């Protein structure tokens, strides 16, 4: 019976790409954009310097077929402004074609797609970490906000003929506003603009400060819109998931990490350089017990928000850097999957084939078989 139901669902997705959403004059109804488990097709149309033939070859139809065979039912597709528009705002056609290819390949292989506007010129989620916070003008500039809306007008024009049951929009990734209300007010503007054009399209929206679970309680969503998916990201504890990551301060820690339990022993704390000790103290890594119950507790605000608005909850990013000890990575991943399943939370790993991924695109093989065994077997 389970196989029959899955076959019916896959057949439905295949025909959804041919059916557009309702028009502006029609009533808004709850669509069938339902998701369970997927991955981010990252470092391709986002966060990548590849262009031309190298970019075109990077992701192909067989990648989507592979994800389908592993039991994934959707992908999150990050895209960046710099790949889709030049500095004068002119469209760069190659990236647009690759995006269409990806959506069509996804649909052919029974996968839904979330198109995620990941980085824009007026906002980069890691600007503060790189000492360039002043570059983020989105929340202080009316023009930058209108530019964001205009980008989505153009994306909507290109994507509106895809069924609302197969394609969703995440209109901005990981907002970093000084005040939560700045993000809430921008949500109102972008939501209104998109709803005037596509009243039924599913919109994926997260909270301020990197879509953190901690700020979910400050998020304000439009009332009575059931075609919204509530999104959060989770990489905690960072000392485990980003161990050795050069771009984050905690990546400078080179001592031992434990999981589950207290992450850093007193002995390892004493051996750490003074430049790192304050990070260990600030994050309570030498005193806080990290285990599945801590993950459960962290998720509560996000779960409460989803219940409040009666919306599906989605963890859009979570994963472990490739340099992390694999046994630690698997323990944490297994606990995450358990909590997702307990609370019916959809998820996309970060990511498919980059430094948090399970697939090696260069060697065309699984680079972390243990990880994919956990992810592919997560519903067993």
């Amino acid at each position: 019976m389970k196989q029959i139901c899955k076959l019916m669902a896959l057949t439905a997705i295949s025909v959804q790409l041919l059916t557009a959403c309702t028009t502006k004059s029609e009533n808004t109804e709850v669509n069938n954009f339902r998701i369970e488990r997927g991955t981010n097709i990252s470092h391709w149309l986002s966060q990548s310097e590849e262009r031309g033939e190298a970019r075109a070859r990077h992701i192909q139809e067989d990648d989507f077929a592979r994800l389908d065979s592993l039991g994934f039912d959707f992908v999150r597709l990050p895209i960046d402004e710099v790949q889709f528009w030049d500095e004068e705002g002119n469209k760069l056609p190659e990236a647009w074609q690759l995006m269409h290819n990806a959506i069509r390949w996804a649909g052919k292989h029974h996968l839904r797609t979330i198109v995620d506007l990941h980085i824009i010129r007026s906002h980069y989620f890691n600007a503060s970490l790189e000492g360039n916070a002043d570059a983020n003008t989105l929340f202080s500039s009316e023009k930058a906000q209108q530019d964001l809306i205009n980008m989505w007008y153009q994306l909507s024009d290109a994507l509106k003929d895809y069924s609302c049951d197969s394609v969703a929009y995440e209109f901005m990734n990981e907002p970093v506003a000084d005040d939560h209300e700045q993000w809430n007010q921008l949500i109102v503007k972008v939501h209104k603009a998109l709803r005037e054009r596509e009243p039924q399209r599913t919109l994926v929206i997260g909270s301020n400060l990197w879509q953190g679970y901690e700020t979910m309680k400050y998020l304000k969503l439009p009332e009575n819109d059931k075609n919204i998916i509530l999104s959060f990201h989770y990489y905690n504890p960072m000392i485990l998931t980003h161990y050795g990551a050069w771009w984050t301060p905690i990546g400078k820690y080179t001592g031992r990490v434990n999981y589950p339990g207290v992450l850093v022993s007193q002995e390892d704390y004493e051996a750490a350089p003074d430049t790192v000790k304050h990070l260990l103290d600030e994050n309570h890594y030498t005193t806080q017990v990290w285990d599945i119950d801590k993950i459960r507790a962290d998720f509560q605000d996000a779960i409460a928000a989803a219940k409040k608005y009666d919306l599906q909850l989605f963890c859009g990013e979570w994963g472990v850097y490739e340099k992390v000890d694999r046994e630690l990575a698997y323990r944490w991943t297994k606990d995450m999957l358990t909590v997702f399943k307990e609370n019916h939370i959809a998820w996309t790993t970060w990511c498919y084939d980059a430094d948090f991924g399970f697939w090696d695109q260069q060697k065309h093989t699984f680079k972390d078989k243990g990880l994919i065994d956990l992810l592919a077997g997560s519903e067993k």
Side-chain angles (χ1 to χ4, degrees):
M1 184 65 180
K2 186 175 182 181
Q3 292 300 320
I4 294 174
C5 291
K6 183 176 182 181
L7 180 60
M8 292 173 63
L10 296 182
T11 303
I13 296 174
S14 297
V15 300
Q16 281 160 8
L17 288 174
L18 303 177
T19 308
C21 294
T22 55
T23 63
K24 182 178 176 181
S25 62
E26 294 173 320
N27 293 328
T28 301
E29 298 177 354
V30 178
N31 62 45
N32 192 39
F33 192 89
R34 295 294 177 266
I35 51 178
E36 292 184 24
R37 53 182 180 155
T39 192
N40 280 269
I41 307 296
S42 67
H43 298 85
W44 178 42
L45 300 179
S46 170
Q47 295 178 285
S48 172
E49 298 300 321
E50 285 185 333
R51 297 295 186 270
E53 187 62 26
R55 179 173 60 176
R57 288 196 311 266
H58 189 122
I59 295 293
Q60 292 289 311
E61 181 177 346
D62 67 316
D63 296 298
F64 296 90
R66 182 174 303 108
L67 293 173
D68 178 31
S69 71
L70 292 168
F72 292 101
D73 59 84
F74 75 113
V75 295
R76 183 172 181 249
L77 182 64
I79 66 172
D80 286 354
E81 178 184 356
V82 296
Q83 293 212 37
F84 282 72
W85 294 272
D86 66 19
E87 292 187 2
E88 284 71 48
N90 301 306
K91 292 169 71 172
L92 301 171
E94 285 185 12
W96 291 79
Q97 185 57 56
L98 293 175
M99 176 179 65
H100 282 294
N101 290 348
I103 293 172
R104 289 166 183 153
W105 288 334
K108 180 178 178 181
H109 295 285
H110 319 117
L111 302 166
R112 293 180 169 91
T113 302
I114 295 173
V115 177
D116 155 49
L117 189 52
H118 207 68
I119 300 173
I120 58 179
R121 288 185 172 94
S122 62
H123 183 275
Y124 173 43
F125 51 86
N126 270 349
S128 60
L129 293 178
E130 297 179 4
N132 195 27
D134 291 342
N136 279 355
T137 60
L138 178 65
F139 295 104
S140 59
S141 167
E142 290 289 335
K143 179 184 182 301
Q145 294 182 16
Q146 187 58 50
D147 287 345
L148 173 63
I149 291 171
N150 290 341
M151 281 187 272
W152 273 107
Y153 282 158
Q154 293 180 60
L155 284 164
S156 174
D157 287 342
L159 302 175
K160 63 186 178 183
D161 289 335
Y162 293 109
S163 167
C164 290
D165 292 343
S166 64
V167 176
Y169 303 160
E170 185 168 354
F171 58 76
M172 205 178 91
N173 170 70
E174 294 195 353
V176 185
D178 291 335
D179 185 271
H180 301 307
E181 277 306 304
Q182 291 177 306
W183 172 233
N184 290 332
Q185 291 166 15
L186 185 56
I187 288 172
V188 172
K189 290 182 181 179
V190 182
H191 176 271
K192 181 176 184 292
L194 282 172
R195 281 291 175 253
E196 287 175 350
R197 293 185 170 221
E198 298 193 56
Q200 196 178 339
R201 180 73 61 186
T202 291
L203 305 179
V204 178
I205 304 175
S207 59
N208 188 33
L209 298 182
W210 303 279
Q211 272 163 267
Y213 66 93
E214 310 97 324
T215 56
M216 194 68 77
K217 56 179 163 292
Y218 305 113
L219 179 65
K220 296 178 183 177
L221 293 177
E223 298 286 347
N224 303 316
D225 187 341
K226 299 307 178 187
N227 289 322
I228 291 176
I229 290 177
L230 188 61
S231 171
F232 71 105
H233 295 174
Y234 191 87
Y235 289 103
N236 285 356
M238 290 281 286
I239 195 172
L240 187 159
T241 65
H242 285 63
Y243 187 88
W246 56 267
W247 64 91
T248 182
I250 199 61
K252 296 181 176 65
Y253 175 73
T254 59
R256 288 175 297 183
V257 176
N258 308 298
Y259 184 88
V262 175
L263 297 164
V264 178
S265 70
Q266 191 62 35
E267 178 184 359
D268 289 315
Y269 173 81
E270 295 297 340
D274 291 340
T275 53
V276 173
K277 282 181 178 176
H278 77 281
L279 295 173
L280 303 178
D281 291 334
E282 288 174 4
N283 293 283
H284 310 290
Y285 288 149
T286 61
T287 56
Q288 171 70 56
V289 172
W290 280 87
D291 56 15
I292 192 170
D293 288 330
K294 179 68 168 69
I295 296 171
R296 288 186 178 114
D298 283 351
F299 282 16
Q300 289 310 302
D301 282 349
I303 293 168
K307 289 180 178 177
K308 172 185 175 181
Y309 290 103
D310 189 24
L311 299 173
Q312 183 172 21
L313 185 59
F314 163 51
C315 185
E317 290 185 22
W318 66 286
V320 183
Y321 187 43
E322 62 188 359
K323 292 186 179 181
V324 175
D325 176 83
R326 290 298 87 186
E327 185 56 38
L328 290 177
Y330 299 156
R331 290 176 197 165
W332 181 82
T333 298
K334 187 174 181 180
D335 284 350
M336 289 286 289
L337 291 169
T338 297
V339 180
F340 288 148
K341 187 173 183 180
E342 288 173 348
N343 296 283
H344 307 288
I345 299 171
W347 50 262
T348 43
T349 64
W350 191 270
C351 50
Y352 173 57
D353 73 319
D355 50 8
F356 281 63
F358 52 82
W359 178 254
D360 189 322
Q361 198 68 294
Q362 300 300 317
K363 297 180 180 178
H364 212 68
T365 187
F366 290 110
K367 68 177 180 180
D368 193 335
K369 190 64 165 57
L371 179 59
I372 196 57
D373 285 347
L374 282 172
L375 299 175
S378 63
E379 67 177 8
K380 293 180 181 177

